[in-house]
Amino acid sequence: MSARDLIVGEAELDSQEEDESFDEDTGEVRRKTNRVNGINGHLDDSSEEEDDDDDEEAAAEIRKDFIVEDDEEPEERERRRRERKKRRREEREEEEAGLDEEDLDLIGEANPDFERRAPTEPKLKRLKRGHKEDRDGQRPKGVDNIFDSEEEEEDDYRNQRPSHRADPRNLQDEFADFIEEDFDDRDGAPDDDDADIARPTGRTYTGIKDATGLDEAALEDMKEAFGEGDEYDWALNIQDHEEEDQQRVLDSEDPEAIAKGLELKDVFEPSQLAEKLLTDEDNEIRAIDVPERFQLARKPYKDLVLTAEQFKEEGIWIADLIWNRKGLRPELMDPFRKAVAKVLEFMVVDEYEVPFIIQHRKDYLIHSQKTPITPDPSNPGAPDFVISAEKLLTQSELWRIAEFDLKFRALIEKRNALSETYRKLQDMADFQDDVFEEMLPAAATMEELQDVQDYLHFQHASRLADLAAINASSATNGTHRRPGSSKALFERIRSSKVYGLVRAFGITADAFAQNALKEGRRQYTEDPTERPDDLADSESIMDPPDYSTGAQCLKAAKAMFGEEIYVNPRMRKVMRLAYYQDGVIECFRTDKGLRRIDEHHPYYDFKYLRNQQMRDFAHQPDLFLRMIRAEEEGLVEIKIRMQNAESFRKKLYGDIESDNFSEVADAWNRERREALDMALVKLDKLMARGVKENLKNECEDQVAQRCREEFTKRLDQAPYKPKGMQLGTIPRVLAISNGAGAFGREAVCWAWVEEDGRVLENGKFTDLFLGDPDRGQEDGADVKALVKLVERRKPDVIGLSGFSADTRKLYKLLEEIIERKDLRGAEYEDEDGVERTDKLDLVIVNDEVARLYQTSQRAMVEHPGFAPLTRYCVGLAKYLQSPLKEYAALAKDIISITLDPAQPYVPQEKIFRYLETALVDIVNLVGVEINDAVSDWYTANLLPYVSGLGPRKAQQLLKVINLNGGAVATRAELVGDADQQRVGAVGPRVWANCASFLYIDFDSSDQDADYLDNTRVHPEDYELGRKMAADALELDEEDIEAETSENGLGAIVRKLVREDQQEKVNDLILEEYAEQLERNFNQRKRATLETIRAELQQPYEELRDNFTLLSSEEIFTMFTGETRETLYEGMVVPVSIKKVGEDYIEARMDCGIEGTVPLSEISNRPEIPPRQLFQQFQTVQAKVMYLNRKTLAATFSLREEELRNPAKKEHDRMPGDWDDAQERADKELMKEQNDVSGRTQRVVKHPLFKPFNSAQAQEYLGSQARGDVVIRPSSKGVDHLAVTWKVSDNIYQHIDVLELDKSSQYSSGGTLKIGGKYTYSDLDELIVNHVKAMAKKVDEMMLHEKYQNGTKAETERWLSTYTEANPKRSVYAFCIDPKHPGYFFLCFKAGQHAQLQSWPVKVVPHAFELQRNMYPDMRALCNGFKLLFTNMQSGKRR
């Protein structure tokens, strides 16, 4: 057999190795025919039957030839017979005791915690491989194939076939392994041969009789003489135990593991433990009885304890921060501060989370006031006052308080550290710094604390150095910084005589700052009697050798005085206030941004932005964040300056100058101004940097808050409500989608999902269209199938969505089918009790979750056999059934959902933190049925967001509940019950947080069930609920005592429900209850009583809004990906011509929107037929004249005058906000540069044409996808074009295109040639058949299993490592050649000691070129390479 025959065989095998595959878009199952024997597609495996036959024959021979020995006593024979019978019975018992696969599956269903040991290899793999005796001729691989998960099946297949090869020259050389690697199974299970080198798990010796040929009696004699062979089992058992200890998966509850001191971290990698939340820190969080979110947030400050004064200060500090944005009446300031202080007490002291506070302490968030009214004589029973209530804090503001609490803790921690450092300095050197002692307690922000720290390190640098030397650097609690060279300079000045010249300035830096801040009395400046230069020249000032001249002394004194002004905390406060009040922000383009940011660039709206004040960004935070991003990309520079800098400077001059009128005074004032100017330069830089950073954080917070609000809207919607049902009822859904497929040509997938979430049916429609009865055209075959499906399943709603604008056509078709076939939903009773049905609802579903679900690991586990589009339909259906559960199941993937256009400019961690609070709010609003969460992981996804819990505590909760029996009867059980031997799942504090949000369905037949456990009423308020129920039933104390003593504490409420008297609670006057509670117990419970009244009537009523249907604008964006900012009327866009008629043209935009071009808009020459001007599939520029966002239709114009005048975005700018002069100057500059280069003299009418050079083209394509193209002018002249396309990241190929048959030097050529080999008629054909064809081949190469995503050196290292581990194997791989775009390396190594070699592979349109041979695809390329190498090796042997 030749090598070619072998390769053909390999290719055949590869085409049959998979049983079925799925169409990615439609989900169609494409089955392949396997060459197998037997029935139902299974391999015909008769080896077991043959073994059985052999066993029976051997047994028959033994029975036939058995001879009773004469000299053996009957008693001896009987003894031996009993022993054999006993052994057989023990073997049967052991066999029966073993659990088969079905037993293990049943155990797994009954006990979710039961973990099955992974099988050593899958059954299917064994079936494919056949038996070992069929492969005796093969070499054992063992450790040699450690890297080879691919070759085994191929070897098996080859050896199962009869071999007719006879090669006397042994042409099956070492390189034949290349062929084995391409076509094999991918499951990577170990080969049966691997067992040869594996240690057997047991030591039961069987088969001795067959091996020796002895009968049983002889065997018994042999055993008596030589023993059973287990004399050394004790040693082997010790070895077994040691190996088990090494391989044991440790459990924290394993007593043996604990006794030996082994822990999880001794077995698993830290990253694995962190991923599974099993680190020591995670276990500590589980164990501590504090809400998990509090523990994580306060982790940096867990050792910080606030004093009573600091706690009081925090309340005022937070209240002032929030008050400025509240807009409440001034008289509510005091109640507001009290409310904030109370919330802080709940969070910090009681450790209650936000949901608990908003649900059970809402009375403290409301300010109620009684207003007396004039009595009405005609109505003597009217109240004497009116109660007015004002809500002081919202739920979002409670989350802000929690965040501000963390910021205040950081503030206090730094303040304490600075105070401690200052105390140690005082202990070391007795001194007092009034500025530090005054400014430290007054510092209310981290910036102000940093100012105080900078002052401390400047003013006392030498003392800090001494302190560090004495106590080591750790003694300063992290506040010590090593002084730089500038600090050392100023220390020398301070310790020299020159500092006397600094004092001669007549005013200290702090006194000047007090003047500027207008604090207290004005500090006057005193002038010395000598001029500055004269004083500097005096002996009392000069200090050789560093300061030996007056000029040096004066310069050093001014620098020192300026630095003292710069580091003074009070002066920095002056500057910061001035910048926030009068600062302006301006944007300046860089040289890079000059060319990159054109009029169509998203950054153009701030390219010349000027004179923007801080408040201008309050309503458009995304603008500043985009400016920051542009600055990071090097396109613009943001500058912050003071609006009236000169007038501000003059005011400061007045605060530092003396009032004297003399030549000496003028000279000193001049020096003071110069020192101040030096300080202002540094202060301006510091303030600009700080303002920019603060403004950035504020804008990020605003965008994150907007994302939270939008996410809350999406969470706050109940399941889609079936007609006639209560809000909250789960619908039965039929979900349908065409995905991204073309309507009418691609299959439509569907899935039927029951209300319990089970997917009972799924399929596809390939012939779904309505016929025309008038023309005798029948409906498509799948219309009848759809009708039968609806009539059989009776869905409540049909959910529809997709990836393209064609989904709108599917919606219209389904709408027409429902109308024409009169499809109706499930029956329901109307208000009059009459059974009725309505037309079946058809809803376009928000698919943002379904898009993530279809490719998620969760979907693959739930529905492993479904195609992605079918899983997408399941996601749509589940979203209709519960949007909240779908969002919660995403976990951290929720940040993948776009909620705001500016979301990409905010750090993902911040976005997730805000979105998590929204999930916590809504999950606790809805509540979680705890027993459903135990049995259903889909519901269990909600538990981490329950108040007090988190991912770790939710895991612990479920684990303990399962240990306690797998069900919860009462809420009280969650904290443990010693009498019933119930382990506590949570601590008392966490239980107080979560108890009311975990409810238990009420079972009226259970006498121990408490109705209140099924309500939002917290256990601390159960007595109030029972009291209200008793009052509603008008029971006296004796009746209550009798009922409760007989039937338990919950008997009164059960009686209220049993007698259906819940509405009686509406007659109770709750105001008196509330007043009594506040008067007697100092508890505010007015709102809580209202909650109890509502819950007694309808427990856990659905409080979410109705399911929100998408608006036309949202549907437009979902199907097209466009918004009003990216697509609007008057915009010029590229379109592809679908059809050219006599008086119209049909075209389609890239986003999928289709439209027409009427005859009047085709050209200015109506006498020329459209077919002579345009042709089908041509891409042209068109102007959007009309856009219908609801029907996704448009009208275009192709006329030149319309294309030359596209609509421009209107910007509402105030005078002075835009630098028009700079914009005009830049346009002139760009025109001059283009005229010099000659680039723009060439204009090609094509949407991909750009006036770029090669560097600009590469920069433009840098952020584009692989295969994207730019057409640009060529430097070779007007008869050439250059095409640049992206091969891979940072790899671009430039193609020279020669234009022939040009009508003029400015027109495009009628014939386009590339390299003298390829010829095309226009640019569209060139792009599709040349560039895109090569890009497709690049994708094919880079997605191949043999491709290595690394450099050539890395690939060669991989080859060497592989051959070292597999010395007898040969291996090859592909990698990209970055120096030659369009080329790849084929690197190979024919054995461990062979040299590394590489051949170049060139990508050409529709093929790969290797050694001047063309190969259409990767399989042909791999096989061709092997043939080439085999022929080369054969030539060498000859």
Side-chain angles (χ1 to χ4, degrees), residues 1137-1174:
I1137 295 177
K1138 291 180 57 182
K1139 180 179 180 182
V1140 181
E1142 295 182 358
D1143 57 354
Y1144 70 95
I1145 291 176
E1146 293 182 359
R1148 180 187 179 97
M1149 287 190 279
D1150 290 338
C1151 65
I1153 295 177
E1154 297 179 354
T1156 58
V1157 184
L1159 181 62
S1160 60
E1161 296 295 337
I1162 293 177
S1163 74
N1164 295 329
R1165 302 177 64 184
E1167 69 276 5
I1168 302 178
R1171 289 190 176 94
Q1172 294 185 15
L1173 297 174
F1174 303 97

Side-chain angles (χ1 to χ4, degrees), residues 22 49 202 208 430 578 586 644 674 923 1048 1126 1132 1192 1258 1320:
F22 295 95
E49 296 176 5
I208 297 178
D430 189 15
E586 297 180 326
N644 304 307
E674 289 180 8
V923 167
T1126 61
V1132 175
L1192 305 184
Q1258 290 181 190
Y1320 304 100

Side-chain angles (χ1 to χ4, degrees), residues 36 191 221 254 619 679 748 760 823 829 834 909 918 1020 1208 1338 1422:
V36 293
D191 197 282
D221 292 339
D254 185 356
H619 302 294
V748 175
L760 300 186
L823 299 182
E829 287 188 3
V834 179
E909 297 80 10
E1020 70 178 10
K1208 295 184 178 181
V1338 170
C1422 295

Side-chain angles (χ1 to χ4, degrees), residues 6 171-181 1370:
L6 178 60
L171 287 180
Q172 186 183 0
D173 57 15
E174 74 279 359
F175 213 69
D177 294 330
F178 277 148
I179 300 173
E180 297 176 12
E181 296 183 16
S1370 303

Side-chain angles (χ1 to χ4, degrees), residues 359 716 920-927 997 1016 1100-1101 1103-1104:
Q359 178 69 27
D716 190 16
V920 171
D921 287 346
I922 303 302
V923 167
N924 288 280
L925 175 71
V926 176
F997 306 110
R1016 290 185 173 90
Y1100 258 102
E1101 179 185 5
L1103 299 180
R1104 288 173 291 180

